């Protein structure tokens, strides 16, 4: 099951426009092998027959952390996390929960200057909006209303998943 997901992920990487790692281009077979092996060598022994789509976020974090612990070099772990984040985004298309990789012990991010602006879900935004409106009590120019305006602008400009 997991090998089939890796194969589908590889195909999906070519189809997703704007994918930082592939930029929507056809991948060379050597690149495919590099991306897939960078995580499958460490992830497959940990997950065995576990269906990653049926796990909750905490369990996925534990699985990912355990897999990363097997990598000895900092450079190798950094590349593993980069590829794993891309693979996890693919899993999210099929219902996997969102995982905050920065909360995982051993997480390494070697992408200095890179930013992921897809950080707020529609539900999170709606909950924030409801609470901000409640806190402002219908008054204009309150800190809660200013925060809401900033959140609306941020959300509309891409701070969402």
């Amino acid at each position: 099951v997991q090998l089939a997901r890796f194969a589908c992920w590889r195909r999906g990487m070519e189809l997703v426009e704007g994918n930082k790692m592939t930029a929507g281009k056809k991948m060379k077979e050597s690149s495919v092998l590099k991306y897939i092996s960078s995580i499958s060598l460490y992830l497959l022994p940990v997950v065995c027959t576990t269906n990653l789509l049926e796990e909750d976020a905490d369990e996925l974090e534990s699985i990912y952390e355990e897999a990363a612990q097997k990598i000895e070099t900092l450079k190798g772990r950094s590349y593993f996390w980069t590829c794993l984040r891309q693979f996890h985004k693919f899993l999210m298309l099929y219902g996997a929960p969102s995982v905050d990789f920065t909360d995982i012990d051993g997480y390494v991010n070697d992408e200095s200057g890179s930013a992921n602006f897809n950080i707020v879900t529609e539900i999170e935004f709606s909950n924030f909006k409801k609470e901000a409106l409640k806190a402002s009590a219908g008054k204009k120019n309150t800190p809660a209303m200013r925060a809401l305006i900033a959140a609306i602008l941020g959300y509309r400009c891409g701070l969402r998943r």
Side-chain angles (χ1 to χ4, degrees):
V1 173
Q2 304 309 338
L3 288 175
R5 285 203 180 97
F6 287 126
C8 291
W9 169 54
R10 176 260 179 206
R11 182 69 184 128
M13 289 174 73
E14 293 177 359
L15 300 175
V16 176
E17 278 189 43
N19 183 318
K20 186 173 183 178
M21 296 173 73
T22 62
K25 301 174 190 168
K26 182 141 178 75
M27 294 177 67
K28 295 179 185 175
E29 289 304 314
S30 60
S31 297
V32 170
L33 182 60
K34 184 177 178 182
Y35 289 127
I36 292 175
S37 65
S38 68
I39 59 174
S40 63
L41 292 174
Y42 305 102
L43 192 58
L44 283 177
V46 174
V47 296
C48 299
T49 59
T50 304
N51 184 344
L52 294 175
L53 296 177
E54 294 175 354
E55 300 299 323
D56 64 21
D58 290 336
E59 187 60 33
L60 287 173
E61 287 179 11
S62 296
I63 289 169
Y64 295 164
E65 182 179 335
E66 185 178 340
Q69 288 173 352
K70 302 187 183 318
I71 304 169
E72 295 181 14
T73 67
L74 182 64
K75 185 177 180 180
R77 273 194 307 278
S78 177
Y79 189 70
F80 169 81
W81 287 117
T82 299
C83 292
L84 184 62
R85 280 194 323 270
Q86 292 297 326
F87 178 64
H88 187 76
K89 285 180 185 177
F90 170 76
L91 291 178
M92 287 174 60
L93 295 173
Y94 296 93
S98 177
V99 170
D100 185 357
F101 283 88
T102 59
D103 286 345
I104 300 175
D105 289 340
Y107 174 76
V108 178
N109 182 1
D110 193 27
E111 297 179 359
S112 56
S114 116
N116 178 2
F117 290 105
N118 297 325
I119 58 174
V120 180
T121 65
E122 187 173 345
I123 293 169
E124 291 168 333
F125 175 74
S126 294
N127 290 340
F128 176 79
K129 180 180 171 185
K130 184 169 63 175
E131 292 301 317
L133 288 171
K134 190 186 313 178
S136 68
K139 297 177 186 171
K140 295 180 180 179
N141 205 17
T142 63
M145 194 56 89
R146 288 192 296 268
L148 176 59
I149 291 168
I152 290 170
L153 289 172
Y155 184 74
R156 296 294 178 208
C157 292
L159 293 174
R160 59 184 175 277
R161 287 183 238 197

